[in-house]
Amino acid sequence: MKMVIAVVQDKDSGRLSQALVKKGFRATKLASTGSFLRAGNTTFLVGTDNERVPELITIIEKNCQSRKQMVTPVSPLGSGVDSFLSYPLEVQVGGAAVFVMDVEHFHSF
């Protein structure tokens, strides 16, 4: 058994959630925040059999596309205002960060 953790941009989370349900995957969704842009993310926790991991990765890849976006970074806490550049930057957002881990034990009560 594997635990798949996928961190996706909020824009992609609804579409991914529907696709997972449609294919019979059960997931726990957690609200999360990225550190660089401080933008909202959704972290999905999905437990699945080893054989279904490739299918799950494909679903995540199809529903979480990266794209470029203009953003104005938020000033880090505690830094001087004059030392921080606050003009818009073009950055790549979206996509997914996916971690696959072995599960030693699983219990459902």
Side-chain angles (χ1 to χ4, degrees):
M1 178 168 239
K2 301 287 186 188
M3 169 63 70
V4 178
I5 301 171
V7 181
V8 306
Q9 189 180 36
D10 278 344
K11 270 187 178 178
D12 298 326
S13 70
R15 183 174 50 250
L16 177 59
S17 185
Q18 289 177 359
L20 292 174
V21 169
K22 185 176 179 180
K23 293 294 185 174
F25 287 99
R26 297 169 129 197
T28 298
K29 290 172 41 174
L30 304 171
S32 53
T33 304
S35 62
F36 175 64
L37 299 176
R38 300 201 176 129
N41 295 322
T42 302
T43 300
F44 287 83
L45 305 176
V46 185
T48 190
D49 294 324
N50 294 359
E51 301 79 31
R52 292 198 72 194
V53 170
E55 177 187 6
L56 177 55
I57 298 294
T58 300
I59 292 169
I60 295 168
E61 185 177 14
K62 285 183 179 178
N63 288 281
C64 302
Q65 299 297 313
S66 63
R67 55 198 158 273
K68 292 187 179 191
Q69 180 177 323
M70 295 299 287
V71 297
T72 303
V74 178
S75 175
L77 296 174
S79 71
V81 175
D82 56 345
S83 67
F84 186 76
L85 303 174
S86 61
Y87 53 87
L89 300 170
E90 184 177 64
V91 296
Q92 188 169 331
V93 297
V98 181
F99 304 89
V100 179
M101 299 179 292
D102 290 324
V103 174
E104 190 171 324
H105 295 281
F106 170 73
H107 304 279
S108 180
F109 305 106

